[in-house]
Amino acid sequence: EVQLVESGGGLVQPGGSLRLSCAASGFAFSEHWVDWVRQAPGKGLEWVGRAKHKPDNYATEYAASVKGRFSISRDDSKNSVYLQMNSLKTEDTAVYYCGDIGDSLPWGRGTRVTVSS
Amino acid sequence: DVVMTQSPLSLPVTLGQPASISCRSSQSLARSDGSTHLTWFQQRPGQSPRRLIYEVSNRDSGVPDRFSGSGSGTDFTLEISRVEADDVGAYYCMQNTHWPPTFGQGTKLEI
């Protein structure tokens, strides 16, 4: 079964850090780019960043709203992608999804991040 | 960034009747190679988004043929020929022609 599973969310204070994981199974993970997309409570979808695959030198890209605070890495040997989030702000509160927005792979169920004091 | 504007934001519909959602981009989404990277996602209540249509008009596997996409340049449309109860949720257009990828605000389809 094709599956992506996010984990690592939780409650963190402003200025804190959190590391999210995205574990893939059931498909050729190494052949895909992986995007992180977030959804603030009651709001729409926002692209956060991307980890490209080996042919693209594992390049990463970030939305302006998170650049310099978030970093994405991937480990193809573990079929996993990670989102390291530092200097968190209240506006980073959202459900974070991983997926490939350029493909029909089903997204994960998401992991909730709450930034609050 | 390319701004994606959907209308309406809320769409009350009647079962069995058609529905249409508009999506407009602030720049043309046509690439020089002829491709247009306009995608439609469906998000049912409490679920993660699911891709329905890619490159304007191509339905993903398993998507009922009641759903169709059309358009070009800056104007795009998602149509549902006969709405079913299972179609309730939010629909988002997304462009991936220009960096960064951007989404529309979403249209909430309600019976």
Side-chain angles (χ1 to χ4, degrees), chain A residues 5-115:
Chain A
V5 178
E6 303 91 342
S7 61
L11 174 64
V12 61
Q13 292 188 337
S17 297
L18 213 53
R19 188 192 193 214
L20 306 185
S21 298
C22 170
S25 59
F27 65 98
F29 174 79
S30 63
E31 297 179 5
H32 287 262
W33 293 2
V34 177
D35 297 280
W36 286 95
V37 174
R38 67 185 179 184
Q39 187 169 36
K43 302 296 184 182
L45 303 171
E46 178 189 15
W47 181 80
V48 172
R50 165 183 291 159
K52 295 185 176 181
H53 53 9
K54 186 176 181 180
D56 291 307
N57 297 315
Y58 298 117
T60 53
E61 298 174 339
Y62 302 94
S65 58
V66 306
K67 191 170 184 179
R69 301 188 298 122
F70 290 12
S71 65
I72 299 173
S73 59
R74 66 187 291 163
D75 184 341
D76 286 354
S77 69
K78 295 183 178 179
N79 284 355
S80 293
V81 171
Y82 308 97
L83 178 63
Q84 177 67 43
M85 304 186 296
N86 299 329
S87 303
L88 282 161
K89 305 176 181 180
T90 55
E91 52 262 43
D92 295 319
T93 294
V95 174
Y96 285 73
Y97 298 101
C98 65
D100 180 349
I101 61 173
D103 195 270
S104 61
L105 290 174
W107 295 19
R109 296 174 64 91
T111 187
R112 187 174 302 274
V113 172
T114 303
V115 185

Side-chain angles (χ1 to χ4, degrees), chain B residues 6-13 19-22 89-91 105-111:
Chain B
Q6 289 183 228
S7 63
L9 299 184
S10 178
L11 182 56
V13 296
S20 179
I21 299 171
S22 170
Y91 292 80
Q105 319 98 299
T107 294
K108 191 172 183 180
L109 186 79
E110 43 203 14
I111 306 295

Side-chain angles (χ1 to χ4, degrees), chain B residues 86-107:
Chain B
D86 204 33
D87 300 336
V88 165
Y91 292 80
Y92 297 90
C93 60
M94 181 203 74
Q95 70 80 25
N96 201 14
T97 291
H98 304 284
W99 192 91
T102 48
F103 291 88
Q105 319 98 299
T107 294

